[in-house]
Amino acid sequence: MGRPLVNDARLRISRSHFPVTALGPGLRLGVWGQGCPLACSGCMPRGTRDPDGGVEVGAADLERRWRDTMDRGATGLTVSGGELLAQAGAFRRFLKSVRRVGSEFGGDLDVLISTGYKLGEIDADRVEAVDLADAVIMGCYDAASPTDPLWRGSANQSLLIRSDSGRRRYAEWEDRRAARPPWQMRVDGTGVWFAGIPPRGALARVDRAVRSTGLAFRSVSWRSGSSGL
Ligand code: SF4
């Protein structure tokens, strides 16, 4: 076991899940932040924007979760929106613990961050967090500019490789396009949620399929005017 965290910083997150296979290579722990000051056009995870929503977790709890998933074969961590760069201090501490735990397991892992910010828009504190990632998908999602390179939601979003290990891991994926992007759906106590970029028209099909059974979503996160799932 590694040295326990001295500073039990707290992060507000929407959820975490393992294994995520639709947002990055291999088997991944997915952590979705909670709270986002941006307002991307067509934001799908609207429920993650409320800074008072989600749950607050201690960095030590997240570190335990990461250690557990590495034990179960995790090859990487994916962080997606809500916007964890809005909690840069605690987020950075969490990423450092991810690295430390990863090195106890031989260091064969990668960190992928998805953020609505671009590099030139963030202060030094946030750049320091970005520097702890191997790859970063940057830019506000734009529903009017669909695209098909893996793991990116719109054409304005770029995949930046930030480390040698990122170059090794992402080289074969960087320009890969997917006619049917990987997408995971899960049902839990809060509703139905998804990981990955839904193929075009998929959410409308899900909506129709649910209605055809005589049921309907009370609210959905991907339409404006709806607070979340
Ligand atoms: S798409 Fe992501 S970055 Fe953009 S507003 Fe929604 S949660 Fe924030």
Side-chain angles (χ1 to χ4, degrees):
M1 290 289 286
R3 175 175 54 85
L5 279 178
V6 175
N7 185 343
D8 189 17
R10 301 187 77 74
L11 271 177
R12 189 163 280 276
I13 67 167
S14 168
R15 58 170 53 87
S16 67
H17 181 73
F18 177 81
V20 168
T21 54
L23 279 172
L27 292 182
R28 314 183 66 83
L29 173 64
V31 176
W32 284 264
Q34 181 68 40
C36 179
L38 303 173
C40 303
S41 107
C43 166
M44 286 184 276
R46 286 169 191 273
T48 66
R49 280 158 58 174
D50 177 1
D52 297 319
V55 289
E56 208 181 66
V57 289
D61 291 333
L62 268 183
E63 179 180 326
R64 267 191 291 278
R65 176 102 169 100
W66 170 240
R67 187 183 295 283
D68 173 57
T69 54
M70 286 225 76
D71 248 343
R72 292 162 61 197
T75 61
L77 169 77
T78 293
V79 176
S80 194
E83 183 58 72
L84 272 180
L85 287 182
Q87 306 175 58
F91 182 36
R92 225 175 33 237
R93 283 191 282 274
F94 169 55
L95 292 179
K96 284 182 179 165
S97 76
V98 164
R99 291 290 181 199
R100 182 166 49 76
V101 171
S103 66
E104 293 168 23
F105 282 79
D108 190 16
L109 74 138
D110 75 271
V111 174
L112 170 66
I113 295 176
S114 180
T115 169
Y117 290 110
K118 291 186 199 150
L119 215 42
E121 296 170 347
I122 54 178
D123 60 19
D125 221 23
R126 291 172 181 174
V127 170
E128 222 183 292
V130 165
D131 281 343
L132 290 163
D134 299 285
V136 190
I137 293 172
M138 299 199 99
C140 232
Y141 172 66
D142 178 5
S145 308
T147 194
D148 52 8
L150 273 179
W151 311 318
R152 278 147 281 185
S154 57
N156 61 308
Q157 294 180 318
S158 43
L159 173 65
L160 305 181
I161 311 296
R162 307 281 295 171
S163 71
D164 288 342
S165 109
R167 267 177 281 285
R168 277 194 302 278
R169 285 240 170 155
Y170 285 81
E172 66 172 301
W173 305 105
E174 202 173 352
D175 298 317
R176 184 84 60 95
R177 288 163 191 271
R180 293 181 61 80
W183 191 42
Q184 291 170 267
M185 283 192 77
R186 288 284 177 275
V187 180
D188 64 18
T190 64
V192 182
W193 61 275
F194 57 83
I197 311 295
R200 273 164 241 172
L203 297 176
R205 284 196 294 279
V206 169
D207 228 352
R208 280 198 299 276
V210 169
R211 282 176 200 280
S212 73
T213 66
L215 299 172
F217 289 122
R218 198 169 49 227
S219 66
V220 294
S221 68
W222 60 83
R223 271 199 298 266
S224 60
S226 208
S227 59
L229 284 169

